[in-house]
Amino acid sequence: MVVYDYTTGQWNANLAVNVSRHNIEQPPILHDKDSLLSGKKGEVFTLVESGHRVQLLEDVPQDTKVSELRESRRLITVGTFRGINE
């Protein structure tokens, strides 16, 4: 693959990057409400037991239980799937 380098105005094959599922980072997988979670605002996590994909609404610098984050409304569910316990 050849990429146009707008900084030089030339086509360059050395800048090409292969994009596949192997290059894309998958969201971290947690078990469920007793799991500890820390991260930055906007990060998405998967809870495999309950079948929820959740997103942090603010930065969480220290490990905190998922259940505590839900109670304090710093975490929202952005998607669901069939979890292990369903």
Side-chain angles (χ1 to χ4, degrees), residues 1-5 8 10-18:
M1 177 191 290
V2 178
V3 177
Y4 181 75
D5 183 359
T8 62
Q10 298 176 355
W11 292 93
N12 190 339
N14 295 330
L15 296 177
V17 177
N18 286 332

Side-chain angles (χ1 to χ4, degrees), residues 22-37:
H22 301 287
N23 300 74
I24 301 170
E25 184 177 330
Q26 298 297 314
I29 296 174
L30 304 171
H31 283 283
D32 213 354
K33 60 185 175 187
D34 294 327
S35 297
L36 296 176
L37 171 63

Side-chain angles (χ1 to χ4, degrees), residues 25-30 37-47 52-58 75-81:
E25 184 177 330
Q26 298 297 314
I29 296 174
L30 304 171
L37 171 63
S38 65
K40 297 198 181 256
K41 178 181 178 179
E43 279 191 271
V44 177
F45 299 87
T46 302
L47 304 174
H52 289 260
R53 303 241 1 233
V54 295
Q55 183 177 20
L56 288 174
L57 295 176
E58 60 185 59
L75 185 74
I76 61 168
T77 300
V78 294
T80 60
F81 58 94

